[in-house]
Amino acid sequence: MSVKIKRIGVLTSGGDAPGMNASIRAIVRACSYHNVECIGIYRGFQGLIDSDFEPLGPRDVHYILNKGGTILKTARCNEFRTKEGREKAYQNLLAAQIDALIIIGGDGSFNGGMALSEEFDLPIIGIPGTIDNDIFGTTHTIGFDTACNTVVDVVDKIRDTASSHKRLFFVEVMGRDAGHIALNAGIGAGAEEIIVPEENLGMERLLESLARSKKSGKSSSIVIVAEGEKLGKNVFELGEYVEQHLPDYDVRVSVLGHMQRGGAPSCFDRVLASRLSVKAVETLLEGESNVMVGLLNDQVALTPLKKAVKGHSPIDQELLRVSDIVTI
């Protein structure tokens, strides 16, 4: 991989996350700063197969810093999962004279990039863009902070209704395999209980906690539930179970869903996206590849893509302890 980088392709893949546009903007402008051409690839890996490419200059990414979603779009692509599909994608990259690729996405996107790199010796850099914050090698992924702020804002509004009607609200947030959003937003919104997939607290503890809250004088409660929690089949079943065993509570369920993916990125996510993206371009130009650019100890750091994909992003045990203390 000693080829001189003259043209860098960038794509977004997987679920969209606030800050992806800020990342695209920084990549395009870093390329321009270093006299390298940047090529936008639309619809993720599907765009590679369809040769859906467009040169991007500094003015093409004007006014996208504050926009959610991704101007390059994202899509599923089953064809790319096949060797023939990846061969077609690589031939399109060769025809467009694209020397290297920056992928903004999660572990599934990184796996696709690694396959392309291993089979065709193509320089690849990964930038973690997912609201779930479940990528090893970075304390924050692009979009996580914004998603947490969105949840806190919504829960603050739900609490107004909960307290007015003396209700118990179960609020489901995203996090199929990771409870980072639930834990951070739960503490930020002052939830009475936080349920995450990493910690199976059991139904009895939940009932005891809610009964204790009621006895302490709380007339309403908020329970934040990560969608991957293991206590019940789903949050509605969980709500029904609690209502059956604690009939004094008037239970309601709110599923926040995809609203957590949308909206203007926070200042933190805009700055994070800019830092990681400039580093991604410069890392390629320095001759290094097959790494993910992340944030560790507030410093931009590189992690091998294989390690980022295979590693585990553990739940913060200190935050779990803090949540136990502040929810009494």
Side-chain angles (χ1 to χ4, degrees):
M1 294 187 182
S2 59
V3 61
K4 179 175 173 58
I5 305 295
K6 297 179 180 179
R7 186 173 289 184
I8 295 174
V10 56
L11 63 83
T12 52
S13 178
D16 62 300
M20 280 185 165
N21 281 328
S23 183
I24 295 166
R25 172 181 179 270
I27 289 167
V28 171
R29 294 190 170 182
C31 283
S32 178
Y33 180 86
H34 290 287
N35 297 312
V36 175
E37 190 172 359
C38 186
I39 306 297
I41 300 164
Y42 288 88
R43 297 176 295 117
F45 295 120
Q46 187 65 54
L48 284 180
I49 289 175
D50 295 339
S51 196
D52 195 357
F53 306 156
E54 181 181 349
L56 295 175
R59 302 286 72 79
D60 295 315
V61 291
H62 196 37
Y63 290 136
I64 70 169
L65 179 65
N66 64 328
K67 297 186 182 301
T70 163
I71 63 166
L72 292 178
K73 314 300 182 186
T74 181
R76 296 185 184 276
C77 182
N78 290 326
E79 188 177 356
F80 189 80
R81 297 176 185 272
T82 68
K83 179 67 179 291
E84 295 75 19
R86 293 190 293 273
E87 171 72 32
K88 185 176 180 180
Y90 179 65
Q91 292 303 323
N92 288 337
L93 288 169
L94 282 182
Q97 297 182 312
I98 295 174
D99 304 311
L101 196 60
I102 296 177
I103 298 171
I104 309 167
D107 55 3
S109 305
F110 295 163
N111 273 317
M114 284 193 300
L116 199 63
S117 177
E118 289 169 1
E119 292 167 0
F120 305 104
D121 201 31
L122 180 74
I124 299 285
I125 296 285
I127 296 178
T130 168
I131 67 170
D132 290 337
N133 205 45
D134 58 351
I135 304 294
F136 179 82
T138 185
T139 54
H140 292 78
T141 58
I142 296 169
F144 172 64
D145 183 71
T146 305
C148 287
N149 288 333
T150 297
V151 172
V152 168
D153 183 56
V154 173
V155 173
D156 284 348
K157 292 177 172 62
I158 289 175
R159 189 176 290 282
D160 291 342
T161 293
S163 59
S164 295
H165 294 273
K166 298 184 178 181
R167 286 174 175 161
L168 164 62
F169 268 86
F170 284 89
V171 181
E172 184 187 87
V173 302
M174 284 186 164
R176 184 175 56 194
D177 301 309
H180 299 290
I181 293 176
L183 181 57
N184 283 265
I187 293 174
E192 277 67 35
E193 193 65 65
I194 302 166
I195 303 175
V196 296
E198 294 91 341
E199 297 283 321
N200 190 345
L201 303 180
M203 285 289 196
E204 290 309 310
R205 169 169 171 176
L206 175 61
L207 292 176
E208 290 172 6
S209 174
L210 293 173
R212 189 165 56 248
S213 293
K214 193 81 169 178
K215 189 176 181 179
S216 71
K218 292 184 180 181
S219 61
S220 63
S221 290
I222 300 287
V223 178
I224 302 292
V225 183
E227 62 181 327
E229 60 84 20
K230 305 297 191 298
L231 287 184
K233 291 180 180 178
N234 55 56
V235 68
F236 294 99
E237 184 183 85
L238 189 59
E240 290 173 3
Y241 181 88
V242 170
E243 196 164 34
Q244 289 171 5
H245 289 78
L246 296 175
D248 288 343
Y249 271 117
D250 183 11
V251 178
R252 293 291 186 274
V253 174
S254 289
V255 178
L256 301 192
H258 285 81
M259 73 168 67
Q260 296 158 87
R261 291 196 184 279
S266 64
C267 178
F268 180 90
D269 274 329
R270 298 182 199 193
V271 173
L272 176 65
S274 299
R275 292 177 71 185
L276 300 189
S277 301
V278 168
K279 181 64 174 179
V281 171
E282 293 178 345
T283 298
L284 281 173
L285 297 182
E286 290 165 359
E288 191 165 0
S289 66
N290 288 318
V291 295
M292 183 195 76
V293 184
L295 189 70
L296 294 173
N297 299 316
D298 201 33
Q299 299 296 316
V300 178
L302 302 178
T303 299
L305 273 177
K306 283 186 177 180
K307 193 172 181 180
V309 168
K310 292 182 179 180
H312 176 64
S313 177
I315 201 76
D316 191 323
Q317 294 298 318
E318 183 195 3
L319 283 186
L320 284 173
R321 189 179 72 85
V322 167
S323 71
D324 284 341
I325 293 172
V326 299
T327 55
I328 62 171

